[in-house]
Amino acid sequence: MNPDTLNSEQKPTLPASSPGVRLLRFLSSMPVAIALLSLVALVSMIGTVLVQNRDQDFYLSRLGPFWYRVFDALDFFDMYSAWWFITIMGLLVLSVTAALVRHGPRFWKLSRPLRTMRPWPVKADGEFELELEGQVAPQQLEQLLRRHGFREFRQQPEGKGILLLARKGRLGRLGFFLVHGAVVLICIGGLITSQLGFRGVMNLAEGESDNIVYVQNGSEYRRLQLPFHVRNDNFTINYYNTGMPREYSSQLTLLEDGEAVAQKRITVNDPLRYLDMTFYQASFGDAGSETRITLRDLTRKGFPAQQVESAVGRTLEEGSGMKLELKELRQHNIINTAQEEDRQQRQDAGPSLDILYQSPASGNITYRVYLAYPHMLAFVPMGAETLTYANLGFSPADGRMMGLLAAYLEAVNDIAGEVGPEQRRGAFASALRRMEIPLEHAAELGSRIIHAEQLLRRHKLPMLFTLDDFVPKMYTGLQVARDPGAPLVWSACLLLVIGLYMMIYMHEKRVWLRLGDNGHRLQIRAILSHRDKHPLRNYLQRLQTELAELGQKARS
């Protein structure tokens, strides 16, 4: 049989004598291609579920030591650059390329235009014979077939009749090349990105610019230098009523030799793209907001106050070993203000500052002080993980009340022997006289001072703080991705869609028409390059009806 009459499902016969031919057959086989594609899909799902390129602590906290060691040994944390993933992609490229080499010549030959007449087929996918009522010319048959989409025709005399060959859909054979070539290009694009691309982070405070990107490399970071600088002109953030961030964005400018080459305000789902790099809005945080705090040292006589101006992220030290680290500034805090444990009464407490107190005597205590509620104490005692809230009753920056509290505690400590209610009343009266406060205020102030004394003794707090003022300074966290293979991958995806459409919907049809008996007798045989022959039978029935109508018109 002529090669042009073969269906696309028929496999060419290749000599199996040489190892190269056997290897080509194995690599180009459908089971190997399906196995490799399934393996790529499986590991891609793992890479989607398991976040890539994060630090060691991130994985340890979520997986535990055992599974961390297992996944780390398998390179699951940077799998797209792992040797085994690159090997799988390379094998897939070889398999698809082998299929192109093995089957390509046949599909290319079948997709070429008809140059010569093909003989009457011995076997056909569909056929019928028709006695025409009138005489029909070959030109009339050709015009009818043109209305059905046929564009290639060949004819030759056959005895007293004519043998006519018509073909359409030959370009559908080219879908084979587009689909297989697209798969190869997608794999190559992925390999290019895995070897030449990166995904890193860059934190920029407002008004600052930099060209260094930090890329996670196992438990360490490597520095990559961009060929241009990125400047954060402005950062804005909006909040919900609950205090959660609603939207945050950054105004970025890219600079080359001091000149702006790109500028855009980016949000979480609207990045900035320049060359083959993309800048995503990923996070935000405090970049060293300036603060003014008042601290009260409860370990010294008189609870002396000191006002300090510093910035978030800085550490204040004293010679005695005491350290104060300004940890985090929050501009919104949603807390439960209900007195009963089973009730929820949440409100925004406003800005707060976390301060880590460290000393040899008291250990580590984290304070959270509120700008709008200076009397509210929130702290993390040693060994605890949640904040403990308590109401001091007055602001630690209130010199009058703190002086009265210090004088009262000093008077209580001077009492020899057991301290009872009578002794406490005497100590409080002494403290009032010392602070030159009239005795008529004793009832008003007494309960507040006693409550504050009990609170400080119960929690053994060495120091109290207030947040007096702050000037916020935020940084924007950018995720920088370089994907040099992306244009190739997207172009290949387009080719893949086109190729699949051509293979699924552009089926080749060949129709032989044998016209004899002076144009009154017609015999037709058709071949379809597709396994589902049912559409061809329906098509031939329609064609038979139209040919019969053509014969009736010729008679009239």
Side-chain angles (χ1 to χ4, degrees):
M1 186 182 298
N2 192 287
D4 279 359
T5 64
L6 289 173
N7 291 337
S8 61
E9 296 81 14
Q10 293 178 287
K11 298 181 180 179
T13 57
L14 293 175
S17 57
S18 67
V21 171
R22 290 196 295 269
L23 179 61
L24 178 65
R25 287 191 174 202
F26 173 76
L27 289 176
S28 62
S29 63
M30 186 66 71
V32 171
I34 292 177
L36 291 172
L37 283 171
S38 301
L39 194 56
V40 170
L42 176 62
V43 297
S44 297
M45 286 190 293
I46 296 175
T48 302
V49 174
L50 185 64
V51 182
Q52 300 288 293
N53 297 313
R54 297 297 294 270
D55 56 79
Q56 181 179 357
D57 293 338
F58 175 85
Y59 295 117
L60 282 172
S61 62
R62 287 159 174 79
L63 301 174
F66 174 77
W67 287 110
Y68 171 79
R69 289 193 295 270
V70 172
F71 286 4
D72 186 46
L74 296 173
D75 284 335
F76 274 5
F77 304 137
D78 189 16
M79 54 177 291
Y80 297 114
S81 298
W83 66 268
W84 52 265
F85 183 81
I86 296 174
T87 301
I88 294 173
M89 296 289 283
L91 289 175
L92 181 58
V93 170
L94 285 177
S95 176
V96 178
T97 304
L100 280 170
V101 172
R102 181 182 177 185
H103 302 289
R106 176 169 60 94
F107 279 92
W108 177 253
K109 187 175 183 179
L110 294 176
S111 66
R112 296 176 63 187
L114 289 173
R115 298 186 181 275
T116 60
M117 183 65 187
R118 298 293 185 261
W120 181 260
V122 178
K123 296 177 61 177
D125 299 320
E127 60 182 309
F128 66 87
E129 293 185 7
L130 185 64
E131 291 288 343
L132 301 176
E133 297 183 15
Q135 186 177 14
V136 176
Q139 293 77 9
Q140 292 176 291
L141 295 177
E142 184 173 328
Q143 291 176 0
L144 186 148
L145 290 174
R146 284 187 181 277
R147 293 199 298 269
H148 283 261
F150 289 89
R151 293 295 180 267
E152 294 183 83
F153 297 92
R154 288 290 182 271
Q155 61 178 319
Q156 67 180 24
E158 190 180 58
K160 296 181 179 180
I162 293 292
L163 182 62
L164 177 65
L165 170 61
R167 182 171 77 159
K168 72 173 182 178
R170 67 179 177 84
L171 294 181
R173 304 280 190 174
L174 298 178
F176 170 83
F177 297 96
L178 293 181
V179 169
H180 288 72
V183 173
V184 172
L185 293 178
I186 289 173
C187 293
I188 293 176
L191 292 173
I192 290 175
T193 296
S194 67
Q195 298 303 305
L196 303 179
F198 64 83
R199 186 174 293 270
V201 295
M202 173 185 286
N203 294 334
L204 292 175
E206 289 184 280
E208 292 185 357
S209 63
D210 199 358
N211 66 338
I212 301 299
V213 177
Y214 294 89
V215 179
Q216 184 78 27
N217 186 16
S219 59
E220 300 179 350
Y221 284 90
R222 58 187 176 98
R223 291 160 49 98
L224 291 179
Q225 185 172 344
L226 302 180
F228 50 84
H229 279 71
V230 184
R231 187 178 66 203
N232 178 16
D233 296 323
N234 174 254
F235 176 81
T236 59
I237 181 170
N238 298 317
Y239 295 89
Y240 290 105
N241 294 332
T242 60
M244 295 295 293
R246 183 182 65 185
E247 182 184 42
Y248 47 96
S249 62
S250 305
Q251 181 69 35
L252 299 183
T253 300
L254 306 185
L255 304 168
E256 287 187 14
D257 299 326
E259 298 292 331
V261 293
Q263 193 173 38
K264 183 178 181 179
R265 175 166 290 278
I266 66 171
T267 58
V268 173
N269 295 316
D270 187 15
L272 167 62
R273 292 182 173 86
Y274 179 67
L275 299 179
D276 58 353
M277 298 186 192
T278 307
F279 297 84
Y280 300 92
Q281 179 70 73
S283 62
F284 64 92
D286 195 286
S289 298
E290 298 178 0
T291 62
R292 186 171 72 248
I293 62 173
T294 297
L295 57 90
R296 289 275 181 176
D297 192 346
L298 305 183
T299 64
R300 296 183 181 180
K301 185 178 181 179
F303 299 166
Q306 181 182 0
Q307 194 171 71
V308 177
E309 292 186 357
S310 185
V312 174
R314 295 182 186 175
T315 300
L316 308 175
E317 299 187 33
E318 285 190 357
S320 60
M322 187 270 290
K323 295 181 181 180
L324 294 178
E325 183 180 353
L326 307 187
K327 297 285 290 183
E328 183 178 1
L329 178 69
R330 294 181 175 86
Q331 298 192 38
H332 294 271
N333 290 269
I334 305 300
I335 62 174
N336 183 19
T337 59
Q339 299 297 324
E340 298 82 359
E341 294 184 0
D342 58 346
R343 284 188 57 203
Q344 293 290 325
Q345 184 176 337
R346 298 186 176 276
Q347 71 176 48
D348 188 357
S352 70
L353 176 66
D354 286 3
I355 304 173
L356 175 61
Y357 173 90
Q358 298 174 292
S359 75
S362 301
N364 298 344
I365 302 176
T366 299
Y367 292 79
R368 181 170 295 172
V369 293
Y370 296 86
L371 180 66
Y373 300 90
H375 59 279
M376 184 170 62
L377 300 180
F379 52 90
V380 178
M382 288 186 300
E385 296 181 354
T386 57
L387 287 171
T388 299
Y389 286 91
N391 187 0
L392 182 65
F394 50 86
S395 170
D398 189 339
R400 177 171 174 265
M401 292 299 293
M402 289 302 299
L404 180 59
L405 177 60
Y408 169 70
L409 291 176
E410 184 177 348
V412 170
N413 292 333
D414 289 340
I415 297 175
E418 185 178 352
V419 179
E422 190 64 31
Q423 287 80 4
R424 290 185 179 278
R425 283 193 292 270
F428 184 66
S430 174
L432 289 175
R433 290 191 297 270
R434 182 174 175 180
M435 294 298 298
E436 298 181 353
I437 299 176
L439 291 177
E440 55 265 27
H441 295 291
E444 173 193 350
L445 302 177
S447 60
R448 298 170 64 188
I449 293 297
I450 296 298
H451 169 75
E453 177 217 4
Q454 293 174 348
L455 188 148
L456 295 181
R457 290 187 185 276
R458 181 168 64 251
H459 295 289
K460 300 178 181 179
L461 298 177
M463 193 169 285
L464 294 177
F465 304 91
T466 59
L467 174 61
D468 301 326
D469 196 10
F470 71 93
V471 178
K473 184 179 182 182
M474 304 294 291
Y475 75 81
T476 181
L478 303 176
Q479 186 179 78
V480 186
R482 182 174 184 264
D483 193 357
L488 184 62
V489 170
W490 285 113
S491 301
C493 288
L494 178 60
L495 294 179
L496 181 64
V497 172
I498 296 174
L500 288 173
Y501 176 84
M502 294 173 67
M503 294 183 67
I504 295 173
Y505 296 105
M506 296 177 64
H507 300 150
E508 182 188 13
K509 290 187 180 71
R510 295 188 184 189
V511 178
W512 281 263
L513 298 96
R514 178 178 280 168
L515 186 62
D517 294 339
N518 296 321
H520 287 277
R521 183 175 181 82
L522 186 64
Q523 185 179 9
I524 292 180
R525 285 190 174 182
I527 292 178
L528 177 68
S529 63
H530 193 263
R531 287 179 179 169
D532 186 6
K533 309 306 179 185
H534 182 70
L536 178 63
R537 298 188 190 99
N538 295 336
Y539 172 74
L540 290 179
Q541 289 177 1
R542 294 197 305 271
L543 183 61
Q544 185 176 5
T545 302
E546 294 184 21
L547 288 171
E549 293 176 354
L550 182 63
Q552 292 175 359
K553 291 180 180 179
R555 178 186 177 185
S556 61

